[in-house]
Amino acid sequence: MKSQPPVIRQTRRFANSHRQPSLFDGCEDGELDAAFCEVVAVGRRRDGGTRYWCLTHRADATAKYGRRSTTCRGAHIPLITARETLDLHLDRYCGGVALWGAVPPVYDTTVQPLDRGIHVHARETLGGEKVLDDTFRAVRIFAAALPSDGTLVTELDAIYYMVSSVFGYTTKLIACPYCGFSHLDRDWFSVHPHQRHLCAGCGRYFRDHERGIGNPTEAVRAALGVPERAAKPAGRAIDIRQAAYPGGIQIWGSNPAFVWTSGLAEEEGVHVHAFASIDDAQPVVDETFSRVVVDGLWLDPVVVRIWMAQAALPHLRGRILSAICPSCETPKFCVGESGFVPSRSHVCDSCGREFSPRCRARKTILNPLPEALERLAERAPRCPQSHDVGILPDAPR
């Protein structure tokens, strides 16, 4: 008898869901246009054409056949303004400061607006109430060990620190030898150590002395002497029904803070927001849990965390789906390198059978969470919001 193909459970991202604006959607009033692009020639392409770079948006501005483009790839992305930047003086918060990259929830049935950028917690006393609990597109950090004018960290720096750390990679401070710009490795490069880098500041290629992944957050971590601390399980459990929270729920996987100055250990697990009413601005549940059960469905913290990082990598878009082994019907969860490197076939961890999901993408990554979220959506008080991080892909070159 001919063997049955594996059951595919590819997420539809909730077909009837409400799409939130992207983290990096362009301005509606068209305030950013070609006039703001400062395009310069920065060298030759492999085909002999000229490469052009925009110094304003720090993006490629090369058109087909090596021609100068009128707008760069990043011209639609609004520049970070002073109003969207927090000046953070660490010495004012003796109770500790924590900074994370803010990415969309993996599941969101609320009508709350999408946080964008870097999420900040700050306390004046250890264990006291948070006096800062907000999100900004950039944070300028001031401390005695940092330059007098502070050190700026942007939303992309924080998000890609989260991605690299979730997949087990350490990042390092890499500066361009030509212009001194602090280098950020994005997308594919944030999970693949390498020596040849493309500077976003001046658009030129350079080689570092060793393979690595660059991230400007390391300038802050190195200056502050932030120790590597293992996060501890949150030690809390929650078992909820979506019907009990008409305002909806939001779910994130925990991820390491790139700055953590508290004397208390950082917690890991699944972070949950639950709203009693659709009109409430503040959740009645706002906590990190080691065990989360929603409508009888247990959410594995590791699966949630990996899915959150996978969703932030543009080059994986459309390649992550749910599938079960055709022999033993065990859901497949790709871990380690297979969690960010798509493959044509997968091996069942239970029975050892090799199988290939039949789908549009030739190479895939399997994660059981998309199918689980589809099941949760069937009992939701409203259609989940479909969040798009909106980060530009940065393909290998």
Side-chain angles (χ1 to χ4, degrees):
M1 179 182 292
K2 187 176 180 180
S3 62
Q4 295 296 316
V7 177
I8 306 299
R9 293 170 176 168
Q10 185 167 11
T11 178
R12 301 184 300 277
R13 297 306 298 154
F14 317 122
N16 297 319
S17 60
H18 168 64
R19 182 185 180 277
Q20 275 274 22
S22 160
L23 283 175
F24 306 102
D25 275 343
C27 298
E28 295 181 357
D29 56 7
E31 64 183 39
L32 295 174
D33 54 28
F36 287 83
C37 287
E38 183 183 352
V39 179
V40 297
V42 291
R44 292 289 180 182
R45 304 195 313 173
R46 291 181 178 178
D47 61 3
T50 303
R51 281 198 311 113
Y52 293 94
W53 195 260
C54 175
L55 300 180
T56 301
H57 304 103
R58 308 189 191 282
D60 183 71
T62 309
K64 195 174 182 180
Y65 306 121
R67 296 172 180 168
R68 182 185 187 278
S69 178
T70 56
T71 58
C72 71
R73 291 182 69 223
H76 68 287
I77 301 174
L79 298 176
I80 299 175
T81 65
R83 182 175 53 85
E84 298 169 312
T85 303
L86 170 69
D87 286 344
L88 182 64
H89 296 262
L90 298 183
D91 57 357
R92 297 179 183 176
Y93 304 99
C94 298
V97 171
L99 305 177
W100 297 271
V103 293
V106 300
Y107 184 72
D108 185 0
T109 60
T110 72
V111 295
Q112 301 295 321
L114 176 62
D115 274 346
R116 304 162 185 259
I118 303 173
H119 195 68
V120 181
H121 284 180
R123 292 176 168 87
E124 293 179 342
T125 59
L126 187 63
E129 293 294 323
K130 288 176 285 191
V131 295
L132 260 180
D133 185 359
D134 208 343
T135 305
F136 305 85
R137 291 192 66 197
V139 176
R140 188 175 297 277
I141 304 171
F142 295 87
L146 295 173
S148 58
D149 58 349
T151 299
L152 185 70
V153 178
T154 69
E155 53 197 349
L156 285 181
D157 301 336
I159 290 172
Y160 280 120
Y161 175 83
M162 178 275 293
V163 171
S164 298
S165 60
V166 165
F167 285 117
Y169 287 103
T170 58
T171 56
K172 58 178 292 190
L173 183 62
I174 299 176
C176 172
Y178 299 109
C179 68
F181 192 75
S182 186
H183 181 67
L184 171 66
D185 279 312
R186 312 181 185 192
D187 196 14
W188 187 91
F189 298 97
S190 68
V191 288
H192 292 84
H194 54 287
Q195 277 187 275
R196 186 172 183 257
H197 303 274
L198 174 61
C199 176
C202 65
R204 288 187 280 186
Y205 288 103
F206 67 92
R207 292 184 69 86
D208 193 27
H209 67 280
E210 63 180 1
R211 291 167 58 85
I213 297 171
N215 194 298
T217 61
E218 293 300 331
V220 179
R221 292 166 53 79
L224 297 179
V226 177
E228 293 293 338
R229 294 179 176 174
K232 69 172 186 178
R236 289 177 289 269
I238 187 172
D239 188 341
I240 61 175
R241 300 282 174 180
Q242 294 187 82
Y245 298 96
I249 64 173
Q250 297 172 315
I251 296 172
W252 294 264
S254 64
N255 65 89
F258 65 89
V259 169
W260 180 273
T261 65
S262 171
L264 302 176
E266 188 174 359
E267 295 182 338
E268 66 178 7
V270 177
H271 194 76
V272 178
H273 285 180
F275 293 81
S277 168
I278 197 172
D279 299 319
D280 290 350
Q282 298 298 324
V284 293
V285 177
D286 180 1
E287 195 58 89
T288 300
F289 302 89
S290 294
R291 179 176 174 81
V292 174
V293 178
V294 181
D295 290 334
L297 180 65
W298 172 62
L299 299 178
D300 186 331
V302 176
V303 172
V304 175
R305 185 182 306 119
I306 294 296
W307 166 257
M308 188 175 67
Q310 291 169 334
L313 289 171
H315 76 282
L316 297 185
R317 193 170 297 134
R319 296 182 180 273
I320 309 168
L321 51 91
S322 297
I324 63 175
C325 172
S327 294
C328 65
E329 298 187 347
T330 300
K332 173 64 179 177
F333 176 40
C334 294
V335 296
E337 186 174 301
S338 65
F340 57 87
V341 178
S343 175
R344 292 187 180 182
S345 62
H346 304 275
V347 177
C348 176
D349 298 319
S350 180
C351 68
R353 172 169 176 176
E354 183 175 349
F355 64 94
S356 299
R358 295 181 181 177
C359 60
R360 181 173 298 179
R362 294 174 60 189
K363 295 184 178 182
T364 59
I365 295 172
L366 303 185
N367 187 315
L369 190 63
E371 189 269 339
L373 297 182
E374 291 284 357
R375 290 164 57 189
L376 286 183
E378 295 173 358
R379 298 189 178 186
R382 67 189 58 81
C383 292
Q385 299 191 71
S386 180
H387 296 298
D388 178 12
V389 178
I391 301 175
L392 290 176
D394 196 355
R397 44 188 176 266

